[in-house]
Amino acid sequence: MSDESRPYRTAAVIPAAGRGVRLGPGAPKALRALSGTPMLIHAVRAMAASRAVSLVVVVAPPDGAPEVKNLLDAHALPERTDFLVVAGGDTRQESVRLGLEALPDNISVVLVHDAARPLVPVDTVDAVIEAVRDGAPAVVPALPLADTVKEVEPKEKGEPEPVVATPERARLRAVQTPQGFERDTLVRAHERVAVNGEGATDDAGMVEQLGVPVVVVPGHEEAFKVTRPLDLVLAEAVLARRRANDGF
């Protein structure tokens, strides 16, 4: 089949098995309410908002798949998109791998999206997908840094840490999700981790270990990660603005 006629079917994998301890005690982070709706539902809707995404796979806590399935069934989701819930593993990497294994054979582009980034705009999702379709094996949305960054020598908590370097800020980016990949490339990256035990802080980092190029497309300030209580306040403000301006 020629490149011109190759079908590009896209799936999004959302690992949602973490507890999010920095938000404090209570429900897992992905199930925390944001304007009365669990963050996970916002994240699922954000992926499904792209007409290019035909399947969303939610990777639930190992013992929480039925609860997450009931949660999805209880909320309105786009009918044009299929949804699947699978049980995750003990680590994020293992959960993403289990999500990949659940994909049907006809999926060629895979997005990996943090459930804790519930407000990513659809234009960002589409930009990542388009870059993969245009030939990039791995794509990440990212923003320039506003703050100067210092590399330090780590010390015990609370102790002063000596600065060892000041990276050039113009060359640095803060990476977001969804990250997009050719399916075969991402599968190979996870196989390498399983065999060699080499970790990475994100899926793009795993692909980098293969020697495969990763490219950056513009991210969006509303695709921030909800990690701390203050982030919840900001997310509520963004949703209130969307309702006021867009009827979201």
Side-chain angles (χ1 to χ4, degrees):
M1 182 178 293
S2 68
D3 288 343
E4 289 77 16
S5 60
R6 180 185 177 190
Y8 288 101
R9 286 180 59 81
T10 300
V13 175
I14 303 179
R19 294 207 61 84
V21 294
R22 280 176 288 182
L23 278 177
K29 178 165 56 177
L31 304 184
R32 299 292 180 94
L34 187 57
S35 288
T37 300
M39 276 202 294
L40 175 60
I41 298 299
H42 287 286
V44 168
R45 287 172 174 167
M47 295 299 98
S50 171
R51 293 188 174 273
V53 174
S54 58
L55 171 67
V56 176
V57 178
V58 178
V59 187
D63 58 352
E67 178 186 2
V68 172
K69 176 67 165 58
N70 291 338
L71 190 69
L72 294 185
D73 290 342
H75 290 82
L77 300 171
E79 293 184 0
R80 67 172 182 272
T81 308
D82 292 328
F83 301 92
L84 178 65
V85 177
V86 299
D90 294 331
T91 65
R92 183 184 187 280
Q93 183 274 325
E94 185 179 356
S95 292
V96 173
R97 179 181 58 79
L98 291 169
L100 286 172
E101 291 178 355
L103 298 178
D105 292 339
N106 62 355
I107 296 296
S108 57
V109 177
V110 181
L111 304 178
V112 180
H113 184 57
D114 295 332
R117 297 185 190 270
L119 304 179
V120 57
V122 68
D123 288 349
T124 302
V125 180
D126 287 339
V128 171
I129 296 170
E130 189 63 28
V132 178
R133 289 181 171 183
D134 285 344
V139 180
V140 296
L143 292 175
L145 297 183
D147 297 322
T148 296
V149 175
K150 301 290 185 182
E151 182 182 351
V152 302
E153 180 182 339
K155 297 292 184 180
E156 294 294 328
K157 184 176 181 181
E159 292 187 15
E161 297 176 324
V163 172
V164 298
T166 302
E168 184 181 349
R169 188 173 64 183
R171 296 175 60 87
L172 301 177
R173 298 291 183 270
V175 173
Q176 302 175 325
T177 69
Q179 298 183 356
F181 307 91
E182 291 179 342
R183 178 181 182 166
D184 292 345
T185 297
L186 186 57
V187 168
R188 285 196 295 118
H190 278 265
E191 289 173 347
R192 175 189 173 95
V193 168
V195 172
N196 298 334
E198 298 177 2
T201 57
D202 65 356
D203 292 272
M206 293 165 53
V207 169
E208 290 172 42
Q209 292 176 7
L210 296 175
V212 173
V214 177
V215 302
V216 169
V217 298
H220 196 282
E221 60 184 8
E222 291 182 2
F224 61 90
K225 192 172 187 178
V226 178
T227 302
R228 303 158 300 177
L230 183 60
D231 299 325
L232 280 171
V233 175
L234 179 58
E236 293 283 4
V238 170
L239 283 175
R241 181 194 55 77
R242 287 184 180 181
R243 285 194 298 268
N245 294 346
D246 310 322
F248 178 81

